[in-house]
Amino acid sequence: MANSTNATTLVQTQRRHKEAVRQIRRTIHLEKTMQHTTKAASPPLNGVDTPNLLATINFVAGQPELAKFQFRAHNEWVEGTHSKSVMLGFHGAGQEQKHAKAYYADSDHPAVLCGADHGPTPVEWLLHALASCLMSGVANIAAARGIKLTKVQCSVDGDIDLRGILGISDEVRNGFQNIAVAFEIEGDAPSETLQQLVDQARARSAVFDVLTNGVSVSVSVKTIQ
């Protein structure tokens, strides 16, 4: 009887030992998996979620139809030369999307141009669009290349002759005659490499493309009686 009891105890002990070994192996495997995941999910660089950025590029490359987006702005007149735009909904990645909240942008003319100065002029918003488009490009490209930025500034100047939009001269264009962009950039890379960041941002900028290559614009009107 004693021998039988001892045998049973021995079997149980061996089973517990095997289970303990399996548990240790599972723990080690889990720790290795977590370490691997931690290494793969490197922290954002320059505030850019680099892994997500690269994953998005690869995902869209495999499904080109998801790259088709339509952005929208709805504008309403307030009074005088003052109007307000709202940007909320847009279409992209194959379905309707929304910003986290509605974004508003006021536009007006300064007093010297017979306005009440409730906001930047429309052409100043255009300069802002160009500057911010180039700036986001620099940040994304730098992050993708593993370059840490410490300072990036951009100034955009646009020259315009008001004789065009005021109808004084048909020989003067209505829009900007010249736009100059000046970058000041600092980061942990050689000057030539930092210059390449700006060059690549310009090559991939949607706003720069629209301004330099033009785009078809249609205007429709619905009158209310």
Side-chain angles (χ1 to χ4, degrees):
M1 185 71 175
N3 291 337
S4 176
T5 302
N6 292 337
T8 301
T9 303
L10 179 60
V11 170
Q12 291 176 344
T13 302
Q14 290 175 338
R15 287 177 178 174
R16 285 196 295 268
H17 177 70
K18 289 180 180 179
E19 179 59 30
V21 171
R22 283 195 293 267
Q23 181 61 37
I24 292 173
R25 287 175 177 174
R26 284 196 293 267
T27 302
I28 293 174
H29 175 72
L30 178 60
E31 289 178 349
K32 287 182 177 180
T33 301
M34 293 177 64
Q35 291 174 358
H36 176 73
T37 303
T38 302
K39 291 179 180 179
S42 57
L45 183 60
N46 306 321
V48 177
D49 187 347
T50 314
N52 188 42
L53 171 63
L54 298 177
T56 299
I57 293 173
N58 293 330
F59 188 72
V60 173
Q63 301 185 63
E65 67 278 6
L66 298 181
K68 297 184 182 299
F69 275 64
Q70 182 189 73
F71 291 102
R72 309 167 187 134
H74 178 73
N75 183 273
E76 288 193 15
W77 171 66
V78 180
E79 64 176 351
T81 55
H82 180 202
S83 67
K84 182 186 293 286
S85 290
V86 59
M87 285 74 72
L88 176 60
F90 60 95
H91 185 89
Q95 61 185 330
E96 284 298 307
Q97 309 277 1
K98 279 188 178 181
H99 288 291
K101 63 178 181 179
Y103 293 99
Y104 297 90
D106 286 276
S107 187
D108 201 352
H109 288 177
V112 69
L113 291 178
C114 306
D117 212 6
H118 289 297
T121 62
V123 289
E124 286 173 301
W125 278 116
L126 187 65
L127 298 180
H128 161 69
L130 177 59
S132 58
C133 189
L134 291 171
M135 190 67 75
S136 61
V138 168
N140 280 338
I141 296 166
R145 296 185 181 183
I147 299 173
K148 181 176 177 55
L149 300 172
T150 52
K151 177 183 178 181
V152 189
Q153 293 182 341
C154 174
S155 296
V156 187
D157 301 327
D159 298 317
I160 192 170
D161 189 331
L162 295 184
R163 289 179 298 166
I165 61 176
L166 293 176
I168 296 174
S169 174
D170 292 332
E171 297 179 357
V172 177
R173 68 175 300 174
N174 299 330
F176 285 122
Q177 298 171 317
N178 178 68
I179 296 177
V181 182
F183 266 92
E184 183 175 332
I185 181 170
E186 181 181 64
D188 62 353
S191 296
E192 182 180 351
T193 302
L194 295 176
Q195 172 69 50
Q196 291 173 354
L197 294 180
V198 178
D199 293 340
Q200 183 65 13
R202 178 185 59 187
R204 290 289 173 257
S205 167
V207 179
F208 185 88
D209 173 73
V210 169
L211 289 174
T212 55
N213 294 320
V215 62
S216 176
V217 179
S218 61
V219 179
S220 61
V221 180
K222 178 182 179 181
T223 60
I224 302 174
Q225 301 296 327

